[in-house]
Amino acid sequence: MKQNKHKSKNLSIGSRIAIATATAIVVALAIIAILSSFFRFFTPSFYNFSSVTTNNYSLLNQIQWSQTMMNITDQLASDNSESAKQQILRDITKDFEKLDTNIYIEKNGQHYFSNIGKNDIFAQAQKICKTDLDNSINYYGDNGLVIVNKLEARNDQYKIIVSNSKYTVKPTAENNRSQGIIRLIFSKLGFVIGMIILIFILSIIIMSLITSKTITKPISLLAKGANEIASGNLDYKIDYDSTNEVGTTVTAMNDMTSKLKESIDQRNKIDKSRKEMVAGLAHDLRTPLTSVKGYVEGIRDGIAKTPEKQAEYIDIIYSSTLDMEKLLDDLMSISRLELGNIQLNLEKTNLISFIDEYTEELLPQLEQKGVKLQITKPEEQNVFVMLDTDRFSRVLNNIVSNSLKYSKKEAKTNIELSIQNYEKSVIISIEDNGIGIESENLSNIFDTFYRADTARTKAREGSGIGLAVCKEIVNLHGGTIWANSTIGEGTTILISLETLKEEQ
Ligand code: ADP
């Protein structure tokens, strides 16, 4: 039952309209059937069809006459006693006798019932319609009415003759008008028109009932949902479970709301991170600045007296200014990159030779820090790419410095730099055995000011800018940068660049 309900909920709007229309038609046809039986069985007595009320011809009058003749023949054929039959015939003929109508009934050629003599009625009837009354007749004329009916019932032959010389087919002015309306109401055309109007009205009522229940209800749910979302309630979910058109719109709307919520949450997170970083940067600029100020004062006030002491102070001052320079550099490059103010100096470069030169310079520094660098290169010695070598070195520096920064304290740091050459592209990967990144943070580490480990607030330990700079530069090269990582095992940063054919 529940499943059926569920299925009907999934009906497409097209099917619903088709079912509504079909139902409307079926109901209307049923009503026609009921009304027409009502018309057949009850209207004769309601409109007094069974007794003759006038000597003027009309459709109604003709129906009255045929109904009266039917009552007479039914009575003759019935199994009532003879006396009962005679009594009922007297009752039936009473009404039209008042209109000077004569009747004569023969049974097997013998008189059976009459209100006039045989010769008189024959003379009158023959005068009216000028025939020999041997066959059945229904004559409604200007000069009178003659009806002759023959009936065979229970092995008896009956002949019923009815005549009225005062009957006329000429309509009176008064009759004419009312008959016109009655004729229309009771004509076939009138009936058909009436039924069409009825079908039309019923179809509209049924269709609108079904439509309002099955279509407008989910649409109003949708409208309510849209209002909730517009008023900022992004947790609101429209509750309508169906696979039809409205159902898919509801699903799309719910998806849209959760994506909107996700992106707003993400934005808020980045905004928060940005604020924290600005605060962190301000704080961390202050630390080397205080140190510079302190040591400069030391020299000025003669605290560092010996040339050795002075040289030591100057070294500390120099290293503090380097720290400040790095922070400001990071900030400047990301703002320039984000503003699109950087033009790359692209040159066709052999990536293998570039990496050789880069690692040659890097190795001594790493060795000094006890870090092992392993390099894997393809067999192909000429892999050409369009490169801004200065900026690309910066990208590699940022990645390598992250591998050092996020290394495990307890283990020796290993970095593996490898190049894989494919038909149209080359992938440079830098893998470390550091602390790794939680998978939920992986997609965000390339966002400006994003730091996976927010517990670290000291700017020098991470400003959240390095990988954002890498992403901007790699993108400017037309390449892609992404990361794989397993928490506790290490991180791999991968860069793919389009390669050039040697002759290009
Ligand atoms: P930061 O200056 O904070 O290092 P980055 O943009 O370079 O900023 O990196 C963003 C964040 O990604 C870092 O804060 C760190 O949490 C994470 N991350 C980057 N590289 C690594 C890595 N090799 N190992 C572990 N975490 C990393």
Coordinates of all heavy atoms in Angstrom, one line a residue, residues 370-433:
G370 N 71.1 17.2 6.9 CA 70.9 15.8 7.1 C 69.7 15.2 6.3 O 69.2 14.2 6.7
V371 N 69.3 15.9 5.3 CA 68.2 15.4 4.5 C 68.7 14.7 3.3 O 69.6 15.1 2.6 CB 67.3 16.6 4.1 CG1 66.2 16.1 3.2 CG2 66.7 17.3 5.3
K372 N 68.0 13.5 3.0 CA 68.4 12.7 1.8 C 67.6 13.1 0.6 O 66.3 13.1 0.7 CB 68.3 11.2 2.2 CG 69.1 10.3 1.3 CD 69.0 8.9 1.7 CE 68.8 8.0 0.5 NZ 68.0 6.8 0.7
L373 N 68.2 13.4 -0.5 CA 67.4 13.7 -1.7 C 67.7 12.6 -2.8 O 68.8 12.4 -3.1 CB 67.8 15.1 -2.2 CG 67.1 15.5 -3.5 CD1 65.6 15.8 -3.3 CD2 67.8 16.7 -4.2
Q374 N 66.6 12.0 -3.2 CA 66.8 11.0 -4.3 C 66.1 11.5 -5.5 O 65.0 12.1 -5.5 CB 66.1 9.7 -3.8 CG 66.4 8.5 -4.6 CD 65.6 7.3 -4.1 OE1 65.2 7.2 -2.9 NE2 65.2 6.5 -5.0
I375 N 66.8 11.3 -6.7 CA 66.2 11.8 -7.9 C 66.0 10.7 -8.9 O 66.9 9.9 -9.1 CB 67.2 12.9 -8.5 CG1 67.4 14.0 -7.5 CG2 66.6 13.5 -9.8 CD1 68.6 14.8 -7.7
T376 N 64.8 10.7 -9.5 CA 64.5 9.6 -10.5 C 64.2 10.4 -11.8 O 63.2 11.2 -11.8 CB 63.3 8.8 -10.1 OG1 63.5 8.4 -8.7 CG2 63.2 7.5 -10.9
K377 N 64.9 10.0 -12.9 CA 64.6 10.7 -14.2 C 64.3 9.7 -15.2 O 64.6 8.5 -15.1 CB 65.9 11.5 -14.6 CG 66.2 12.7 -13.7 CD 67.3 13.5 -14.2 CE 68.6 12.8 -13.9 NZ 69.8 13.6 -14.2
P378 N 63.6 10.1 -16.3 CA 63.2 9.2 -17.4 C 64.5 8.9 -18.2 O 65.5 9.7 -18.1 CB 62.2 10.0 -18.1 CG 62.5 11.4 -17.9 CD 63.1 11.5 -16.5
E379 N 64.4 7.9 -19.1 CA 65.5 7.6 -20.0 C 65.7 8.7 -20.9 O 66.9 9.1 -21.2 CB 65.2 6.3 -20.7 CG 65.6 5.1 -19.9 CD 65.2 3.8 -20.6 OE1 65.0 3.8 -21.8 OE2 65.1 2.8 -19.9
E380 N 64.6 9.3 -21.4 CA 64.7 10.4 -22.4 C 65.4 11.6 -21.7 O 65.0 12.0 -20.7 CB 63.2 10.7 -22.8 CG 63.0 11.9 -23.6 CD 63.6 11.7 -25.0 OE1 63.2 10.8 -25.7 OE2 64.5 12.5 -25.4
Q381 N 66.4 12.0 -22.4 CA 67.2 13.1 -21.8 C 66.7 14.5 -22.3 O 67.1 15.5 -21.7 CB 68.7 13.0 -22.2 CG 69.4 11.9 -21.4 CD 69.3 12.3 -19.9 OE1 69.7 13.4 -19.4 NE2 68.7 11.4 -19.1
N382 N 65.8 14.5 -23.3 CA 65.3 15.8 -23.8 C 63.8 15.9 -23.6 O 63.1 15.3 -24.3 CB 65.7 16.0 -25.2 CG 67.1 16.2 -25.5 OD1 67.8 16.9 -24.7 ND2 67.7 15.5 -26.5
V383 N 63.4 16.6 -22.5 CA 62.0 16.8 -22.3 C 61.8 18.3 -22.3 O 62.2 19.0 -21.3 CB 61.5 16.1 -21.0 CG1 60.1 16.4 -20.7 CG2 61.8 14.6 -21.0
F384 N 61.1 18.8 -23.4 CA 61.0 20.3 -23.5 C 59.7 20.8 -22.9 O 58.7 20.2 -23.2 CB 61.3 20.7 -24.9 CG 62.7 20.5 -25.3 CD1 63.1 19.4 -26.1 CD2 63.6 21.5 -25.0 CE1 64.4 19.3 -26.5 CE2 65.0 21.3 -25.3 CZ 65.4 20.2 -26.1
V385 N 59.8 21.9 -22.2 CA 58.6 22.6 -21.7 C 58.8 24.1 -21.8 O 59.9 24.5 -21.9 CB 58.3 22.2 -20.2 CG1 57.8 20.8 -20.1 CG2 59.5 22.5 -19.3
M386 N 57.7 24.8 -21.7 CA 57.8 26.3 -21.7 C 57.9 26.6 -20.2 O 57.0 26.3 -19.4 CB 56.6 27.0 -22.3 CG 56.5 26.8 -23.8 SD 57.9 27.4 -24.7 CE 57.7 29.2 -24.6
L387 N 59.0 27.3 -19.8 CA 59.2 27.5 -18.4 C 59.7 28.9 -18.1 O 60.6 29.4 -18.8 CB 60.3 26.5 -17.9 CG 60.1 25.9 -16.5 CD1 58.8 25.1 -16.5 CD2 61.2 24.9 -16.2
D388 N 59.2 29.5 -17.0 CA 59.8 30.7 -16.4 C 60.7 30.1 -15.3 O 60.2 29.8 -14.2 CB 58.8 31.6 -15.8 CG 59.3 32.8 -15.2 OD1 60.5 32.8 -14.7 OD2 58.7 33.9 -15.2
T389 N 62.0 29.9 -15.6 CA 62.8 29.1 -14.7 C 62.9 29.7 -13.3 O 62.9 29.0 -12.3 CB 64.3 28.9 -15.3 OG1 64.7 30.2 -15.8 CG2 64.3 27.9 -16.4
D390 N 63.0 31.1 -13.2 CA 63.1 31.7 -11.8 C 61.9 31.3 -11.0 O 62.0 30.9 -9.8 CB 63.2 33.2 -12.0 CG 64.6 33.6 -12.4 OD1 65.5 32.7 -12.3 OD2 64.8 34.8 -12.7
R391 N 60.7 31.5 -11.6 CA 59.5 31.3 -10.9 C 59.3 29.8 -10.6 O 58.7 29.5 -9.5 CB 58.3 31.9 -11.6 CG 58.4 33.4 -11.7 CD 57.1 34.1 -11.5 NE 57.4 35.5 -11.2 CZ 57.6 36.5 -12.1 NH1 57.6 36.2 -13.4 NH2 57.7 37.7 -11.8
F392 N 59.7 29.0 -11.5 CA 59.5 27.6 -11.3 C 60.4 27.1 -10.2 O 60.0 26.2 -9.4 CB 59.7 26.8 -12.6 CG 58.9 25.4 -12.6 CD1 57.6 25.4 -12.7 CD2 59.6 24.3 -12.3 CE1 56.9 24.2 -12.7 CE2 58.9 23.1 -12.2 CZ 57.6 23.0 -12.4
S393 N 61.6 27.7 -10.1 CA 62.5 27.3 -9.0 C 61.8 27.7 -7.7 O 61.9 27.0 -6.7 CB 63.8 28.1 -9.1 OG 64.4 27.9 -10.3
R394 N 61.1 28.8 -7.7 CA 60.4 29.2 -6.5 C 59.3 28.2 -6.0 O 59.2 27.9 -4.9 CB 59.7 30.6 -6.8 CG 58.9 31.2 -5.8 CD 59.6 32.3 -5.1 NE 58.9 32.7 -3.9 CZ 58.1 33.7 -3.8 NH1 58.0 34.5 -4.8 NH2 57.5 34.0 -2.7
V395 N 58.6 27.6 -7.1 CA 57.6 26.6 -6.8 C 58.3 25.4 -6.1 O 57.9 25.0 -5.1 CB 57.0 26.2 -8.1 CG1 56.1 24.9 -7.9 CG2 56.1 27.3 -8.7
L396 N 59.4 25.0 -6.7 CA 60.1 23.8 -6.2 C 60.6 24.1 -4.8 O 60.5 23.3 -3.8 CB 61.3 23.3 -7.1 CG 60.8 22.9 -8.5 CD1 62.0 22.5 -9.3 CD2 59.8 21.7 -8.4
N397 N 61.2 25.3 -4.6 CA 61.7 25.7 -3.2 C 60.6 25.6 -2.2 O 60.8 25.1 -1.1 CB 62.2 27.2 -3.3 CG 63.5 27.3 -3.9 OD1 64.2 26.3 -4.0 ND2 63.9 28.5 -4.4
N398 N 59.4 26.2 -2.5 CA 58.3 26.2 -1.6 C 57.9 24.7 -1.2 O 57.7 24.4 0.0 CB 57.0 26.9 -2.1 CG 57.2 28.4 -2.1 OD1 58.2 28.9 -1.6 ND2 56.3 29.1 -2.7
I399 N 57.9 23.9 -2.2 CA 57.5 22.5 -1.9 C 58.5 21.8 -1.1 O 58.2 21.1 -0.1 CB 57.2 21.7 -3.3 CG1 56.1 22.4 -4.0 CG2 56.9 20.2 -3.0 CD1 55.9 21.9 -5.4
V400 N 59.8 22.0 -1.4 CA 60.9 21.3 -0.7 C 60.9 21.9 0.8 O 61.1 21.1 1.7 CB 62.2 21.5 -1.4 CG1 63.4 21.0 -0.5 CG2 62.3 20.7 -2.7
S401 N 60.7 23.2 0.9 CA 60.8 23.8 2.2 C 59.6 23.3 3.1 O 59.8 23.1 4.3 CB 60.8 25.3 2.2 OG 59.6 25.8 2.0
N402 N 58.4 23.0 2.5 CA 57.3 22.3 3.2 C 57.7 20.9 3.7 O 57.4 20.6 4.8 CB 56.1 22.2 2.4 CG 55.3 23.5 2.3 OD1 55.6 24.4 3.2 ND2 54.3 23.6 1.4
S403 N 58.4 20.2 2.8 CA 58.9 18.8 3.2 C 59.8 18.9 4.4 O 59.8 18.0 5.2 CB 59.6 18.2 2.0 OG 58.7 17.9 1.0
L404 N 60.6 20.0 4.5 CA 61.5 20.1 5.6 C 60.7 20.5 6.9 O 60.9 20.0 7.9 CB 62.6 21.1 5.3 CG 63.5 20.9 4.1 CD1 64.5 22.0 4.0 CD2 64.2 19.5 4.3
K405 N 59.8 21.5 6.6 CA 59.0 22.1 7.7 C 58.1 21.0 8.4 O 58.0 21.0 9.6 CB 58.1 23.2 7.2 CG 58.5 24.6 7.6 CD 57.5 25.6 7.3 CE 57.0 25.7 5.9 NZ 56.2 26.8 5.6
Y406 N 57.5 20.2 7.5 CA 56.5 19.2 8.0 C 57.0 17.8 8.1 O 56.3 16.8 7.9 CB 55.2 19.3 7.2 CG 54.6 20.7 7.2 CD1 54.6 21.5 6.0 CD2 54.1 21.3 8.3 CE1 54.2 22.8 6.0 CE2 53.7 22.6 8.3 CZ 53.7 23.3 7.1 OH 53.2 24.6 7.2
S407 N 58.4 17.8 8.5 CA 59.0 16.5 8.6 C 58.7 15.9 10.0 O 58.3 16.7 10.9 CB 60.5 16.6 8.4 OG 61.0 17.5 9.4
K408 N 58.9 14.6 10.1 CA 58.7 14.0 11.4 C 60.0 14.2 12.3 O 61.1 14.0 11.8 CB 58.5 12.5 11.3 CG 57.0 12.2 10.9 CD 56.7 10.8 10.9 CE 57.0 10.2 9.6 NZ 56.5 8.9 9.3
K409 N 59.8 14.6 13.5 CA 61.0 14.9 14.4 C 61.8 13.7 14.6 O 63.0 13.8 14.6 CB 60.5 15.5 15.7 CG 59.9 16.9 15.5 CD 60.0 17.8 16.7 CE 59.5 19.2 16.4 NZ 58.1 19.3 16.1
E410 N 61.1 12.6 14.8 CA 61.8 11.3 15.2 C 62.6 10.7 14.0 O 63.4 9.8 14.3 CB 60.8 10.4 15.9 CG 59.7 9.8 15.0 CD 58.5 10.7 14.8 OE1 58.6 11.9 15.2 OE2 57.5 10.3 14.3
A411 N 62.2 11.0 12.8 CA 62.9 10.2 11.6 C 63.7 11.2 10.8 O 63.4 12.4 10.7 CB 61.8 9.5 10.8
K412 N 64.6 10.6 10.0 CA 65.4 11.3 9.1 C 64.5 11.7 7.9 O 63.7 10.9 7.4 CB 66.6 10.4 8.6 CG 67.8 11.2 8.3 CD 69.0 10.3 7.9 CE 69.8 11.1 7.0 NZ 70.6 10.3 6.1
T413 N 64.7 12.9 7.4 CA 63.8 13.3 6.3 C 64.4 12.8 4.9 O 65.5 13.0 4.6 CB 63.7 14.9 6.2 OG1 63.3 15.3 7.5 CG2 62.7 15.4 5.2
N414 N 63.5 12.2 4.2 CA 63.8 11.7 2.8 C 62.9 12.5 1.8 O 61.7 12.5 2.0 CB 63.6 10.2 2.6 CG 64.6 9.4 3.4 OD1 65.7 9.9 3.7 ND2 64.2 8.2 3.8
I415 N 63.6 13.0 0.8 CA 62.8 13.6 -0.3 C 63.1 12.9 -1.6 O 64.3 12.7 -1.9 CB 63.1 15.1 -0.4 CG1 62.7 15.8 0.9 CG2 62.3 15.7 -1.6 CD1 63.1 17.3 0.9
E416 N 62.0 12.5 -2.4 CA 62.3 11.9 -3.6 C 61.7 12.7 -4.7 O 60.5 13.0 -4.7 CB 61.7 10.5 -3.7 CG 62.0 9.8 -5.0 CD 61.5 8.3 -5.0 OE1 61.1 7.8 -4.0 OE2 61.4 7.8 -6.1
L417 N 62.5 13.2 -5.6 CA 62.1 14.1 -6.7 C 62.1 13.2 -8.0 O 63.1 12.7 -8.4 CB 63.0 15.3 -6.9 CG 62.5 16.4 -7.7 CD1 63.2 17.7 -7.4 CD2 62.6 16.2 -9.2
S418 N 60.9 13.0 -8.6 CA 61.0 12.2 -9.8 C 60.3 12.9 -11.0 O 59.4 13.7 -10.8 CB 60.4 10.8 -9.6 OG 59.2 10.9 -8.9
I419 N 60.7 12.5 -12.2 CA 60.1 13.0 -13.4 C 59.6 11.9 -14.2 O 60.4 10.9 -14.5 CB 61.2 13.8 -14.2 CG1 61.8 14.9 -13.4 CG2 60.6 14.4 -15.5 CD1 63.0 15.6 -14.0
Q420 N 58.4 11.9 -14.6 CA 57.8 10.9 -15.5 C 57.4 11.5 -16.8 O 56.6 12.5 -16.7 CB 56.6 10.2 -14.9 CG 57.0 9.2 -13.7 CD 56.2 9.6 -12.5 OE1 55.1 10.0 -12.5 NE2 56.9 9.5 -11.3
N421 N 57.9 11.0 -17.9 CA 57.6 11.6 -19.2 C 56.5 10.8 -19.9 O 56.6 9.6 -20.0 CB 58.9 11.6 -20.0 CG 58.8 12.4 -21.3 OD1 57.9 13.3 -21.3 ND2 59.5 12.1 -22.3
Y422 N 55.5 11.5 -20.3 CA 54.4 10.9 -21.1 C 54.4 11.5 -22.5 O 55.2 12.4 -22.8 CB 53.1 11.1 -20.3 CG 53.0 10.4 -19.0 CD1 53.3 11.2 -17.8 CD2 52.8 9.0 -18.9 CE1 53.3 10.6 -16.6 CE2 52.9 8.4 -17.6 CZ 53.1 9.2 -16.5 OH 53.1 8.6 -15.3
E423 N 53.4 11.0 -23.3 CA 53.4 11.4 -24.7 C 53.3 12.9 -24.9 O 54.0 13.6 -25.6 CB 52.2 10.7 -25.4 CG 52.5 10.7 -26.9 CD 51.3 10.1 -27.6 OE1 50.5 9.3 -27.0 OE2 51.0 10.4 -28.7
K424 N 52.3 13.5 -24.1 CA 52.1 15.0 -24.3 C 52.4 15.8 -23.0 O 52.3 17.0 -23.0 CB 50.7 15.2 -24.7 CG 50.4 14.8 -26.1 CD 49.0 15.1 -26.5 CE 48.8 14.7 -27.9 NZ 47.4 14.6 -28.3
S425 N 52.7 15.1 -21.9 CA 53.0 15.9 -20.7 C 54.1 15.2 -19.9 O 54.5 14.1 -20.1 CB 51.7 15.9 -19.9 OG 51.3 14.6 -19.5
V426 N 54.5 16.0 -18.9 CA 55.5 15.5 -18.0 C 55.0 15.7 -16.5 O 54.3 16.8 -16.3 CB 56.9 16.1 -18.2 CG1 56.8 17.6 -18.1 CG2 58.0 15.6 -17.4
I427 N 55.2 14.8 -15.6 CA 54.8 15.0 -14.3 C 56.0 15.0 -13.3 O 56.9 14.1 -13.4 CB 53.8 13.9 -13.8 CG1 52.5 14.0 -14.6 CG2 53.5 13.9 -12.3 CD1 51.4 13.1 -14.3
I428 N 56.1 16.1 -12.6 CA 57.2 16.2 -11.6 C 56.6 15.9 -10.2 O 55.6 16.6 -9.9 CB 57.8 17.6 -11.6 CG1 58.2 18.0 -13.0 CG2 59.0 17.8 -10.7 CD1 58.0 19.5 -13.3
S429 N 57.1 14.9 -9.5 CA 56.6 14.7 -8.2 C 57.6 14.8 -7.1 O 58.8 14.4 -7.3 CB 55.9 13.3 -8.2 OG 56.8 12.3 -8.3
I430 N 57.2 15.4 -6.0 CA 58.2 15.6 -4.9 C 57.5 14.9 -3.7 O 56.5 15.3 -3.2 CB 58.4 17.1 -4.6 CG1 59.1 17.7 -5.8 CG2 59.3 17.3 -3.4 CD1 58.7 19.0 -6.1
E431 N 58.1 13.8 -3.3 CA 57.5 13.0 -2.2 C 58.4 13.1 -0.9 O 59.6 13.1 -1.0 CB 57.5 11.5 -2.7 CG 56.7 10.6 -1.8 CD 56.7 9.2 -2.3 OE1 57.0 9.0 -3.5 OE2 56.4 8.3 -1.5
D432 N 57.7 13.2 0.2 CA 58.5 13.2 1.5 C 57.9 12.2 2.4 O 56.9 11.6 2.2 CB 58.5 14.6 2.1 CG 57.1 15.1 2.5 OD1 56.3 14.3 3.1 OD2 56.8 16.3 2.3
N433 N 58.6 12.0 3.5 CA 58.2 11.0 4.5 C 57.8 11.7 5.8 O 58.0 11.3 6.9 CB 59.3 9.9 4.8 CG 60.5 10.6 5.3 OD1 60.7 11.8 5.2 ND2 61.4 9.9 6.0

